[in-house]
Amino acid sequence: MNEALPDVPEVRVVGLPQLTSGFDLVERLDLPMHLKVHGPLEPMGGEQLAQLAERISLKGRGGAGFPFHKKLRSVAETAIRRGVRPVVVVNASEDEPACRKDTVLVNRAPHLILDGALLCAEAMGARTLVIGVTRESTQRSMEAALAERGLNNGRRSALRARVQRNPIRMVTGAAASLIRSIDGGPAIPPGRKISASQSGVGGAPTLLSNAETYAQLAIAARMGAERYCNTGLYDEPGTVMLTVSGAVARPMVIEVPTGVPLRYVLQLAGAPPVPQGVLTGGYHGKWIDAATVNEAIVSRNSLDAVGGALGAGAILPISQDTCPLGESLRVAQWLAEESAGQCGPCYLGLPAAARGMADILNGGGPAALEAVKQVAKSVKRRGACSHPDGSAMFLESTIKAFTDDLAAHVLGNGCGRPVEGVLPLFEGGQTPTGIPGGQAEEESGPSRQKIYVDWTLCRGHGLCADILPEVFELGADGFPTVAQAKVPRYAEAKALRAVRRCPALALRLEEDTKASAPDRLPVLSQRGGRGRRALGSGR
């Protein structure tokens, strides 16, 4: 079984280091060492900074790949039009088990990230900077970096800067989730999609981008566009940070210029000479087969052209000795557990897809295969975030990439290979296993508590749904749609807060002694006499 990746695995570089400069000298570049390695950084005007980002074709390195110059201009224009100060947010959440490149940068080069974020803040006149993290190690490193620069969240500070720590969950890294948590809400996506550039933190236009994106901007600001573009491909210049794990001898984070052959990166990490397949882009990414690996180079366009994805830079080969469908089933089950539980197509559809994959492996035949295809198709573009879309893409890619194995399971007695579990996962769907600097409080494992509604007291204030949206949803009559529900482990503190703050004292918490009880019981509408059944099944 593959062990979980540590927060800071081995770091390698191909060619001259840029983001990883100084890593050979110290474990962490504090401010004096950072300045010694990278030198000072002069401020830039907003349009000058946007032109720099455009000239180097800088795109978001968190997975979506949106052009940074467009986002920067959109935030600046909105702030000027509305006459408000924008907010700058660094997303260093990185909650996928197979990704560590942002965590490495925060732990070892935090000031490079801050350089890029502060450049943007000064250029746009922002007075608020928030860095979103999920690990204890990244929180410590970034808080230390802010202190080294004399930055804090004091009311009298010219720039109020702080670190926002959220639970380790796949959906926490979504931009909308991070913004919602910064505003004091739960770290899950809201039910509506609003552009952060138009209305983000506190309703202000917000520049939110990935940690590596800001670090790349800082490198380019020091080097200049022409020199920066001398590295890598002409249409995707610079370097890329990759996390290579799976069936490799040495899991690592590696900085490579764009254009490097993918097979060379795999060779450095000790991957099998002829892998059965390589998952590119992580668990919201796509599989490519061994023949395609030899054609692919490290670039967004190249991987897209061969049916892969750069995504958040995770590269995971598997050997010929494991069942690829079994490996994918483990990931599909984890993705289902990571649902925020508020959108029906996601929290009902993804478990159904995982069960369908299990049915295929257990001899379910063509009907099971057709069911998986149908579920994957039905969850797309129907969630509050990109989690169902990315999960569906992973499932469809699995079916497309391993046709021989699929035929063996659907039409025969299976491929005959065991499942080695080489793709790293977090245990219990929440907390990383064996990773130093995980959550301070245990947030994984089965639910330990149930919350109950006393209908003789409930007056439909709706505060429970605001505090605990993971459990409560209001029906058309304004009352909760569930009578009792299990409380997710990570939300136990919020459940206690909901009980204490209920104006009618209509909620109570009890230890969950019946593990087999249903998660949610449907109830009849409590007011209005409509006789309609309000099911707690999401939207």
Side-chain angles (χ1 to χ4, degrees), residues 123-404:
M124 297 189 299
R127 292 292 180 264
T128 303
L129 168 64
V130 184
I131 302 97
V133 301
T134 52
R135 294 181 170 86
E136 183 182 342
S137 64
T138 48
Q139 180 181 5
R140 285 198 309 263
S141 180
M142 191 53 77
E143 286 180 345
L146 292 177
E148 289 164 6
R149 289 177 180 252
L151 296 172
N152 57 61
N153 196 35
R155 292 182 179 274
R156 297 183 180 180
S157 301
L159 175 70
R160 299 185 63 176
R162 68 181 179 91
V163 175
Q164 172 72 27
R165 172 87 178 274
N166 288 327
I168 298 180
R169 300 196 69 205
M170 187 74 162
V171 295
T172 300
S177 300
L178 180 52
I179 289 172
R180 193 176 183 187
S181 70
I182 293 170
D183 281 338
I188 57 176
R192 62 194 184 283
K193 294 183 179 180
I194 300 176
S195 169
S197 300
Q198 303 300 313
S199 179
V201 176
T206 299
L207 179 68
L208 187 150
S209 200
N210 168 261
E212 184 194 341
T213 312
Y214 287 109
Q216 292 283 1
L217 185 66
I219 291 291
R222 283 184 169 91
M223 299 176 66
E226 184 175 353
R227 185 178 163 203
Y228 183 93
C229 291
N230 286 338
T231 300
L233 301 170
Y234 76 94
D235 57 341
E236 293 183 53
T239 63
V240 175
M241 294 285 281
L242 303 173
T243 310
V244 188
S245 63
V248 297
R250 299 177 302 279
M252 63 177 61
V253 168
I254 180 168
E255 182 183 14
V256 301
T258 55
V260 168
L262 181 59
R263 65 177 181 275
Y264 180 66
V265 173
L266 294 172
Q267 181 182 344
L268 283 177
V274 184
Q276 183 175 189
V278 178
L279 181 57
T280 59
Y283 297 155
H284 278 179
K286 298 179 181 179
W287 289 99
I288 58 176
D289 59 28
T292 306
V293 169
N294 292 326
E295 304 172 17
I297 62 175
V298 177
S299 84
R300 189 175 301 278
N301 292 337
S302 171
L303 288 171
D304 285 346
V306 298
L310 179 61
I315 305 294
L316 301 105
I318 59 172
S319 71
Q320 300 282 352
D321 301 324
T322 189
C323 172
L325 299 182
E327 295 287 349
S328 297
L329 171 61
R330 293 177 65 247
V331 175
Q333 291 169 335
W334 180 80
L335 289 170
E337 291 174 0
E338 287 298 287
S339 169
Q342 60 180 356
C343 302
C346 183
Y347 86 80
L348 296 176
L350 296 187
R355 289 193 296 271
M357 286 288 292
D359 287 344
I360 291 173
L361 286 164
N362 293 327
L369 174 60
E370 192 57 37
V372 172
K373 289 181 179 180
Q374 188 60 40
V375 171
K377 181 180 179 181
S378 67
V379 302
K380 290 181 182 176
R381 295 177 294 279
R382 297 179 65 193
C385 68
S386 61
H387 182 55
D389 297 339
S391 301
M393 182 167 67
F394 168 79
L395 289 165
E396 290 174 337
S397 172
T398 300
I399 292 171
K400 183 178 179 181
F402 302 109
T403 52
D404 291 344

